[in-house]
Amino acid sequence: MAEEKNTPEIEEVAGMATDSQPAPSEQQENPEQFLKDFNWHNYEEGIDPIDDTKLEEFEKLVAENFVDTLDDEVVEGTVINITDRDAIIDINAKSEGVISLNEFRYNPGLKEGDKVEVLIDVREDSTGQLILSHRKARVIKAWDRVNAAHEEATIVNGFVKCRTKGGMIVDVFGIEAFLPGSQIDVKPIRDYDAYVNKTMEFKVVKINHEFKNVVVSHKALIEADIEEQKKEIIGQLEKGQVLEGTVKNITSYGVFVDLGGVDGLVHITDLSWSRINHPNEIVELDQKLNVVILDFDEAKTRIQLGLKQLSKHPWEALDENLKVGDKVKGKVVVIADYGAFIEVAEGVEGLIHVSEMSWSTHLRSAQDFVNVGDEIEAQILTLDREERKMSLGIKQLTPDPWTDITTKYPVGSRHTGIVRNFTNFGVFVELEEGIDGLIYISDLSWTKKIKHPSEFCNVGDKLDVVVLELDVDGRKLSLGHKQTEDNPWDKYVTEFAVGTKHTATIDEMVDKGATIEFNEDITAFVPTRHLEKEDGSKLGKGDEAEFIIIEFNKEFKRVVASHMSIHKEDEAKIVKQAAKKSQEENKPTIGDANADLQALKDKMEGK
């Protein structure tokens, strides 16, 4: 244990009683008063009486020469000895303190007599030794300095130790601070490793006391100067001015160019007269190039630049002899649903509308004909140099199929086509590329009652057709499918003529009567009163009986039959007359027959 120290002043006070001749004591002069005032407590504790003036002087010397080790404060000490493992520090306490040399690794040149800051870690260990900490003292002082730098916005020096996620770790006053990547410089950083092991100036921008986090910035030191520099540069700019700059950053929407302290943006549309997918097709980082000022905003310090404006517009350089009807070659650069854009020269594009890609009247997507990057040939349809617009066509490079339509598709000729699409009133059938015809729903079948064409066929089906009508000027074809077969109703005119008798079964009971099926094509209607049997009862569903045809309409495919007319002479007579008249006039007479039958019914009922 280090020996306790007494200063000469204290020793002098302690030994004053022995330095002079003894004076007469109070005990000797006034024994009774001495006994009355005697301090028995001090006597029992073994404390010798000392004059109050001397005690005050003693306390003053102690305060001036010793450190109050009870206060948790950072004090300055002096290195008085260095051993293999420790440094002995004198802080003017009653004993020297000890600090491990590990806490001085940052200062390998530590020597006796150096002044160091220390914190009293342990006032007295088991051996009575004073334990000090230089590391803790440095941390406390470091936080004081960091807080002061933050509050006063002063510049501090820091050592960049290493990289970390999103930035760098910087040693500031012995505290590890975080330097975000965005705060290193005003320009994007591509090589973070270049800053490692460098000492730089920083500004403390944020302190989180709860988590003991410090954030510093190098960018903040130069932003103010840059803003002033920007204002000065922008104040000298003029629209149309050409400047040299360096490509600073490349994005998907454009290029940022450093004009010598201020940045400008060249939008992707201002890089080239031709279409490009990404700016890196035109420029690269750190490339020096000339740009023209298109516009700028002094308030927001924004500068809009252009690169393509330094070269002549491609339309102005387009061949003057080029005219409508000429053939040109180009590359497909953009495809939309309505057409494709073809670059016929650098920066000069023409549109091929989808309707100009095929002679077919059924519009399809442009992607069915061309792909991006295809080299194709087209014909100029329109050319407007002032508006810088051009329309092209590729179907014009092949003969128009309607040119010899009357030869290839005369009325009455038979062909096979493909169903392309439906309408409520019919089916469009393509006979060849550019030649379509319409089959009305009534021309699909002789016998079937079709409500919608989708009930009869599907898109993509092949159908045999006959050309019914041809309109060359209107480019229209009328087709028929049922005409490819004989009309079965032609033979039914005789087989199911008015007056003929047939045996059949009631198929369904319907409103105002019943239906019977004579075959797959003919379904006849039987009015309710014509279901009457000879005994006066009515035929029902499933009953088999003999019927006589009382109406046959080939045009409307209508057949009416009667069972009652079989067993009633008057009705039979009227039917025979109607059949005879029908044969003579070769036309339906059911109206007249019905009128006669109604008159007969009225007579029977006594009207």
Side-chain angles (χ1 to χ4, degrees), residues 416-535:
T416 299
I418 298 176
V419 177
R420 287 302 181 193
N421 63 294
F422 299 135
T423 66
N424 290 330
F425 52 84
V427 179
F428 281 100
V429 177
E430 184 181 58
L431 301 180
E432 66 171 88
E433 183 76 20
I435 302 295
D436 296 330
L438 173 64
I439 304 176
Y440 282 99
I441 196 170
S442 59
D443 288 320
L444 288 173
S445 174
W446 290 111
T447 58
K448 293 181 180 179
K449 293 182 178 180
I450 302 170
K451 295 181 179 179
H452 191 273
S454 59
E455 301 172 6
F456 184 80
C457 58
N458 298 312
V459 173
D461 288 351
K462 290 185 177 181
L463 283 183
D464 292 331
V465 295
V466 172
V467 178
L468 303 181
E469 296 180 12
L470 176 59
D471 181 358
V472 178
D473 295 334
R475 302 171 78 93
K476 294 180 180 179
L477 270 176
S478 178
L479 306 175
H481 172 67
K482 71 180 184 181
Q483 288 79 2
T484 60
E485 301 174 349
D486 293 334
N487 187 355
W489 284 80
D490 289 340
K491 63 179 181 179
Y492 295 152
V493 170
T494 304
E495 184 179 350
F496 293 92
V498 174
T500 58
K501 297 179 180 181
H502 307 272
T503 300
T505 302
I506 300 295
D507 183 56
E508 290 289 342
M509 301 301 296
V510 296
D511 187 28
K512 297 182 181 180
T515 60
I516 53 178
E517 291 187 0
F518 290 123
N519 57 38
E520 62 179 3
D521 295 330
I522 296 182
T523 298
F525 173 70
V526 182
T528 300
R529 68 189 186 87
H530 286 275
L531 292 171
E532 184 179 341
K533 295 191 289 187
E534 192 171 0
D535 59 2

Side-chain angles (χ1 to χ4, degrees), residues 327-376:
K327 295 179 182 179
V328 292
K329 290 183 179 180
K331 182 174 70 174
V332 179
V333 290
V334 175
I335 292 181
D337 289 337
Y338 55 85
F341 288 91
I342 314 300
E343 188 176 51
V344 298
E346 184 178 359
V348 178
E349 296 177 2
L351 172 64
I352 304 180
H353 194 269
V354 68
S355 61
E356 303 298 339
M357 292 183 175
S358 169
W359 289 109
S360 175
T361 56
H362 299 292
L363 294 182
R364 286 174 278 176
S365 172
Q367 294 177 338
D368 295 335
F369 300 96
V370 295
N371 297 309
V372 173
D374 288 351
E375 295 284 347
I376 64 173

